[in-house]
Each structure stands twice: as C-alpha cells, then as structure tokens.
C-alpha cells in the first residue's frame, strides 16, 4: 500500500478509505448537529462549485482543485489554482485534498514557501502517531526524490522524539552525513544507539558496521560481531552477510568456515547478491560446505545477474586462471 493511501481525517486521526466510505459533512445551518450526505460537486455547474468553494465548503474546494488540475468542468488547466483549492480543503481536513496537495507540494519547492505550510497543517496535532509521521516522511522522500526534503526531516524529528526506532535510524543517518539537516555525528550516533537498544535490526547492522570499520567510533570487532549476531537472528540479510564475514576471518568471533557458509546461505536465500557470490565460491572451493561445482557456478551466475561486480569479474577471470595452472 502506498504511503499516501492512508488519509488524514478531520479529527486528526489516520483513517482508511474504507472508514470514510460513508463520508458525511455537517449541515452548517442545522443547529441539531445532524449530518447529511456530502453533495457530489462533480455534477455541479462551475459557478455553483465556485460559490460553494468560496463559502468554505471543503468538498467543493476539492472538486474545484480537481477541475483546475485536469482542465475540465468549464475551467482551464492551472496547477497553481489546483494547489490553492486543495490547500483550502486540506486545511479543513479533507483527506483526499490533503493527499493530493502533499503529492503536489513535495514534487516542487515553491518560492512562497508554501511547502512549509503543510508542516504546520499536518504536524500541528499531537495526536498523530510516530508510525504515521514516519510513513509520511517515507512518502515525501519517495515522491520528491529528495532524501533531505524539509517536510521529511520534520516528520522524522517528530517521530524520533517519541523514540520510534525506524525514525531514529533514518534521522541518525541524516545527522551523520548532513542530509537535509546540519551534520552532527554525536546526535546521529545517539539516535542510532537508541534504536539499537530497542533491537531495531537495521540500526544494529549499521552500527555494527561502524564498529567493524572504525567509522565514527573506535574499532571494536567484538561489539560489531555482537550487533551483527543480534540483527542476523532477526533475519536481516545484510547483517547475516556481515556475520558470515566475521566467521570467515575470525573477527570478533572464532574462525569457523562452516558458520561462515551457513550465514552466507541464510543471506543468499533472501537474494543478497554478495552473499550469493561468496556462497557460490565456497561451493566451488569446498570451503565450509561439500564441494559442488554446478551449484557453485549457479550461485555465482545468479549473483552476477543481480549486479554483483565481483561475481561478474570472477566469471570472466576464473576460467583463465584455471587454464594457466
């Protein structure tokens, strides 16, 4: 399901399309608070839609935005006016208009700063759950093609403040590398460490890699292997690949060619190209597994098809090396 398949309703809660299948709008002139079916403004004349939209009817505002976007219903195509009317409807909590406006506004930075207005619109209500803020951040980054989009960063900050591990992980990387926010390795590591303490496998894998390489932290193979082990047992393929590498050379764990092959096999079964290549070579050379050349070549070729450069190079060079013996 797309991030934007979730809609933000009038009350600040996240609801699904199914929950809104019987949408009603308050009859503003009804003092008894009764509700009536929202009129289908797609069937109205332009003047009637414009009058209702000007009067503050959010369904009419959404419809007018649709017409300006598509250039239909007696109006000319005008993305700026479409954005204007979707924004008006979104401000009142019209979920469809909000989704369209988010999609439109995250694809271009506007000189009037209207991109920032949506931050206040969406994030002004504390009832939004961290998971929903994180999902919106992912959607903004995907639609804008900008991993450091201001709205995405703001959503990550809000979610990370609630110790939501996926947001801490993403925001931590942003701080480490200065993506959309001022570079601050200390804050980045603090977020990643907290995500590790919550057992979030991607964070464990990344921090383990840092300890293994001596990046941002002092090199410590023991800590690296421990973090890789935790994430690997959760089924995280990259950590399984790293842990296999630890067993191959004996970094942070005793050297063990069988465990090396076993962890490479687990990662390879998930389609990890590097693990497929390493396991393939193990079968070709009989390291940690019984030698099986057909199976080994099949794995190396599959890794090459997935784009692993070492597998492609191995396929070209191995026959020449064998012929020179």
């Amino acid at each position: 399901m797309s991030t934007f398949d979730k809609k933000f309703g009038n009350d600040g809660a996240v609801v699904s399309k199914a929950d809104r299948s019987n949408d009603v709008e308050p009859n503003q002139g009804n003092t008894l608070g009764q509700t009536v079916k929202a009129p289908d403004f797609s069937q109205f004349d332009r003047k009637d839609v414009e009058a209702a939209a000007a009067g503050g009817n959010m369904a009419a505002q959404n419809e007018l935005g649709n017409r300006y976007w598509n250039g239909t219903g007696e109006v000319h195509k005008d993305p700026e006016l479409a954005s204007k009317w979707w924004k008006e409807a979104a401000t009142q909590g019209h979920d469809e208009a909000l989704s369209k406006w988010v999609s439109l506004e995250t694809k271009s930075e506007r000189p009037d700063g209207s991109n920032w207005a949506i931050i206040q619109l969406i994030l002004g209500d504390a009832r939004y759950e961290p998971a929903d803020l994180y999902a919106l951040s992912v959607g903004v980054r995907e639609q804008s093609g900008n991993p450091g989009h201001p709205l995405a960063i703001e959503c990550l900050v809000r979610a990370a403040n609630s110790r939501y591990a996926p947001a801490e992980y993403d925001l931590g990387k942003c701080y480490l590398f200065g993506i959309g926010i001022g570079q601050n390795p200390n804050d980045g590591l603090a977020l990643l460490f907290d995500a590790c303490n919550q057992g979030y496998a991607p964070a464990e894998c990344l921090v383990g890699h840092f300890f293994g390489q001596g990046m941002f932290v002092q090199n410590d193979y023991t800590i690296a292997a421990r973090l890789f082990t935790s994430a690997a047992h959760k089924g995280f393929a990259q950590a399984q690949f790293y842990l296999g590498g630890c067993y191959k050379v004996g970094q942070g764990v005793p050297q063990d060619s069988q465990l090396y092959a076993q962890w490479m096999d687990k990662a390879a079964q998930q389609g990890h190209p590097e693990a497929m290549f390493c396991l393939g070579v193990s079968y070709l050379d009989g390291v940690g597994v019984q030698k099986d050349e057909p199976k080994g070549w099949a794995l190396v070729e599959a890794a090459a098809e997935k784009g692993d450069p070492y597998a492609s190079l191995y396929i070209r060079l191995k026959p020449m090396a064998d012929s020179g013996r």
Side-chain angles (χ1 to χ4, degrees), residues 111-126:
D112 64 358
S114 61
N115 297 76
W116 284 99
I118 197 170
I119 295 176
Q120 299 303 320
L121 170 69
I122 296 177
L123 305 182
D125 192 328

PDB file of all heavy atoms in Angstrom, residues 111-126:
ATOM      1  N   PRO A 111       8.449  29.194  -4.385  1.00  0.00           N
ATOM      2  CA  PRO A 111       9.120  30.388  -3.879  1.00  0.00           C
ATOM      3  C   PRO A 111       8.400  31.058  -2.718  1.00  0.00           C
ATOM      4  O   PRO A 111       9.017  31.760  -1.923  1.00  0.00           O
ATOM      5  CB  PRO A 111       9.159  31.330  -5.105  1.00  0.00           C
ATOM      6  CG  PRO A 111       8.082  30.822  -6.005  1.00  0.00           C
ATOM      7  CD  PRO A 111       8.050  29.346  -5.786  1.00  0.00           C
ATOM      8  N   ASP A 112       7.091  30.842  -2.583  1.00  0.00           N
ATOM      9  CA  ASP A 112       6.377  31.484  -1.487  1.00  0.00           C
ATOM     10  C   ASP A 112       6.462  30.687  -0.190  1.00  0.00           C
ATOM     11  O   ASP A 112       5.868  31.055   0.819  1.00  0.00           O
ATOM     12  CB  ASP A 112       4.904  31.712  -1.855  1.00  0.00           C
ATOM     13  CG  ASP A 112       4.143  30.405  -2.078  1.00  0.00           C
ATOM     14  OD1 ASP A 112       4.771  29.323  -1.977  1.00  0.00           O
ATOM     15  OD2 ASP A 112       2.937  30.471  -2.331  1.00  0.00           O
ATOM     16  N   GLY A 113       7.203  29.586  -0.219  1.00  0.00           N
ATOM     17  CA  GLY A 113       7.382  28.801   0.997  1.00  0.00           C
ATOM     18  C   GLY A 113       6.173  27.986   1.393  1.00  0.00           C
ATOM     19  O   GLY A 113       6.077  27.542   2.532  1.00  0.00           O
ATOM     20  N   SER A 114       5.235  27.776   0.474  1.00  0.00           N
ATOM     21  CA  SER A 114       4.014  27.072   0.840  1.00  0.00           C
ATOM     22  C   SER A 114       4.276  25.613   1.214  1.00  0.00           C
ATOM     23  O   SER A 114       3.438  24.982   1.843  1.00  0.00           O
ATOM     24  CB  SER A 114       2.994  27.146  -0.294  1.00  0.00           C
ATOM     25  OG  SER A 114       3.500  26.539  -1.473  1.00  0.00           O
ATOM     26  N   ASN A 115       5.452  25.078   0.822  1.00  0.00           N
ATOM     27  CA  ASN A 115       5.785  23.724   1.251  1.00  0.00           C
ATOM     28  C   ASN A 115       5.815  23.641   2.770  1.00  0.00           C
ATOM     29  O   ASN A 115       5.428  22.644   3.363  1.00  0.00           O
ATOM     30  CB  ASN A 115       7.157  23.306   0.710  1.00  0.00           C
ATOM     31  CG  ASN A 115       7.189  23.262  -0.788  1.00  0.00           C
ATOM     32  OD1 ASN A 115       7.246  24.310  -1.417  1.00  0.00           O
ATOM     33  ND2 ASN A 115       7.137  22.074  -1.366  1.00  0.00           N
ATOM     34  N   TRP A 116       6.287  24.702   3.396  1.00  0.00           N
ATOM     35  CA  TRP A 116       6.402  24.686   4.846  1.00  0.00           C
ATOM     36  C   TRP A 116       5.045  24.790   5.529  1.00  0.00           C
ATOM     37  O   TRP A 116       4.877  24.357   6.661  1.00  0.00           O
ATOM     38  CB  TRP A 116       7.306  25.817   5.312  1.00  0.00           C
ATOM     39  CG  TRP A 116       8.738  25.492   5.066  1.00  0.00           C
ATOM     40  CD1 TRP A 116       9.523  25.908   4.028  1.00  0.00           C
ATOM     41  CD2 TRP A 116       9.550  24.622   5.847  1.00  0.00           C
ATOM     42  NE1 TRP A 116      10.768  25.363   4.123  1.00  0.00           N
ATOM     43  CE2 TRP A 116      10.826  24.574   5.232  1.00  0.00           C
ATOM     44  CE3 TRP A 116       9.338  23.883   7.009  1.00  0.00           C
ATOM     45  CZ2 TRP A 116      11.869  23.821   5.740  1.00  0.00           C
ATOM     46  CZ3 TRP A 116      10.383  23.131   7.513  1.00  0.00           C
ATOM     47  CH2 TRP A 116      11.632  23.096   6.880  1.00  0.00           C
ATOM     48  N   ALA A 117       4.063  25.352   4.832  1.00  0.00           N
ATOM     49  CA  ALA A 117       2.741  25.471   5.443  1.00  0.00           C
ATOM     50  C   ALA A 117       2.149  24.113   5.762  1.00  0.00           C
ATOM     51  O   ALA A 117       1.459  23.940   6.763  1.00  0.00           O
ATOM     52  CB  ALA A 117       1.806  26.243   4.511  1.00  0.00           C
ATOM     53  N   ILE A 118       2.456  23.153   4.919  1.00  0.00           N
ATOM     54  CA  ILE A 118       1.883  21.824   5.141  1.00  0.00           C
ATOM     55  C   ILE A 118       2.449  21.175   6.399  1.00  0.00           C
ATOM     56  O   ILE A 118       1.819  20.333   7.024  1.00  0.00           O
ATOM     57  CB  ILE A 118       2.097  20.924   3.913  1.00  0.00           C
ATOM     58  CG1 ILE A 118       1.149  19.734   3.978  1.00  0.00           C
ATOM     59  CG2 ILE A 118       3.515  20.466   3.793  1.00  0.00           C
ATOM     60  CD1 ILE A 118       1.115  18.923   2.721  1.00  0.00           C
ATOM     61  N   ILE A 119       3.655  21.569   6.776  1.00  0.00           N
ATOM     62  CA  ILE A 119       4.231  21.021   8.007  1.00  0.00           C
ATOM     63  C   ILE A 119       3.350  21.375   9.195  1.00  0.00           C
ATOM     64  O   ILE A 119       3.019  20.533  10.029  1.00  0.00           O
ATOM     65  CB  ILE A 119       5.659  21.558   8.214  1.00  0.00           C
ATOM     66  CG1 ILE A 119       6.575  21.038   7.092  1.00  0.00           C
ATOM     67  CG2 ILE A 119       6.194  21.160   9.572  1.00  0.00           C
ATOM     68  CD1 ILE A 119       7.968  21.577   7.152  1.00  0.00           C
ATOM     69  N   GLN A 120       2.960  22.636   9.266  1.00  0.00           N
ATOM     70  CA  GLN A 120       2.096  23.049  10.353  1.00  0.00           C
ATOM     71  C   GLN A 120       0.729  22.382  10.248  1.00  0.00           C
ATOM     72  O   GLN A 120       0.112  22.018  11.256  1.00  0.00           O
ATOM     73  CB  GLN A 120       1.943  24.575  10.338  1.00  0.00           C
ATOM     74  CG  GLN A 120       3.259  25.314  10.529  1.00  0.00           C
ATOM     75  CD  GLN A 120       3.956  24.918  11.828  1.00  0.00           C
ATOM     76  OE1 GLN A 120       3.314  24.741  12.847  1.00  0.00           O
ATOM     77  NE2 GLN A 120       5.273  24.756  11.762  1.00  0.00           N
ATOM     78  N   LEU A 121       0.246  22.234   9.027  1.00  0.00           N
ATOM     79  CA  LEU A 121      -1.065  21.628   8.815  1.00  0.00           C
ATOM     80  C   LEU A 121      -1.093  20.197   9.323  1.00  0.00           C
ATOM     81  O   LEU A 121      -1.986  19.796  10.067  1.00  0.00           O
ATOM     82  CB  LEU A 121      -1.411  21.655   7.325  1.00  0.00           C
ATOM     83  CG  LEU A 121      -2.640  20.850   6.900  1.00  0.00           C
ATOM     84  CD1 LEU A 121      -3.902  21.487   7.440  1.00  0.00           C
ATOM     85  CD2 LEU A 121      -2.715  20.747   5.390  1.00  0.00           C
ATOM     86  N   ILE A 122      -0.095  19.419   8.945  1.00  0.00           N
ATOM     87  CA  ILE A 122      -0.106  18.001   9.266  1.00  0.00           C
ATOM     88  C   ILE A 122       0.399  17.725  10.681  1.00  0.00           C
ATOM     89  O   ILE A 122      -0.137  16.899  11.397  1.00  0.00           O
ATOM     90  CB  ILE A 122       0.741  17.223   8.256  1.00  0.00           C
ATOM     91  CG1 ILE A 122       0.118  17.328   6.865  1.00  0.00           C
ATOM     92  CG2 ILE A 122       0.857  15.757   8.652  1.00  0.00           C
ATOM     93  CD1 ILE A 122       0.919  16.652   5.798  1.00  0.00           C
ATOM     94  N   LEU A 123       1.424  18.448  11.086  1.00  0.00           N
ATOM     95  CA  LEU A 123       2.084  18.117  12.338  1.00  0.00           C
ATOM     96  C   LEU A 123       1.582  18.922  13.526  1.00  0.00           C
ATOM     97  O   LEU A 123       2.030  18.721  14.643  1.00  0.00           O
ATOM     98  CB  LEU A 123       3.598  18.320  12.196  1.00  0.00           C
ATOM     99  CG  LEU A 123       4.250  17.577  11.037  1.00  0.00           C
ATOM    100  CD1 LEU A 123       5.739  17.827  11.032  1.00  0.00           C
ATOM    101  CD2 LEU A 123       3.967  16.092  11.143  1.00  0.00           C
ATOM    102  N   GLY A 124       0.667  19.830  13.287  1.00  0.00           N
ATOM    103  CA  GLY A 124       0.201  20.663  14.381  1.00  0.00           C
ATOM    104  C   GLY A 124      -0.598  19.922  15.428  1.00  0.00           C
ATOM    105  O   GLY A 124      -0.751  20.391  16.547  1.00  0.00           O
ATOM    106  N   ASP A 125      -1.116  18.747  15.086  1.00  0.00           N
ATOM    107  CA  ASP A 125      -1.928  17.973  16.014  1.00  0.00           C
ATOM    108  C   ASP A 125      -1.083  16.868  16.622  1.00  0.00           C
ATOM    109  O   ASP A 125      -0.592  15.994  15.931  1.00  0.00           O
ATOM    110  CB  ASP A 125      -3.128  17.376  15.274  1.00  0.00           C
ATOM    111  CG  ASP A 125      -4.164  16.801  16.223  1.00  0.00           C
ATOM    112  OD1 ASP A 125      -3.764  16.317  17.294  1.00  0.00           O
ATOM    113  OD2 ASP A 125      -5.356  16.865  15.887  1.00  0.00           O
ATOM    114  N   ALA A 126      -0.916  16.906  17.945  1.00  0.00           N
ATOM    115  CA  ALA A 126      -0.051  15.946  18.617  1.00  0.00           C
ATOM    116  C   ALA A 126      -0.592  14.529  18.587  1.00  0.00           C
ATOM    117  O   ALA A 126       0.090  13.603  18.988  1.00  0.00           O
ATOM    118  CB  ALA A 126       0.173  16.379  20.065  1.00  0.00           C
TER     119      ALA A 126
END
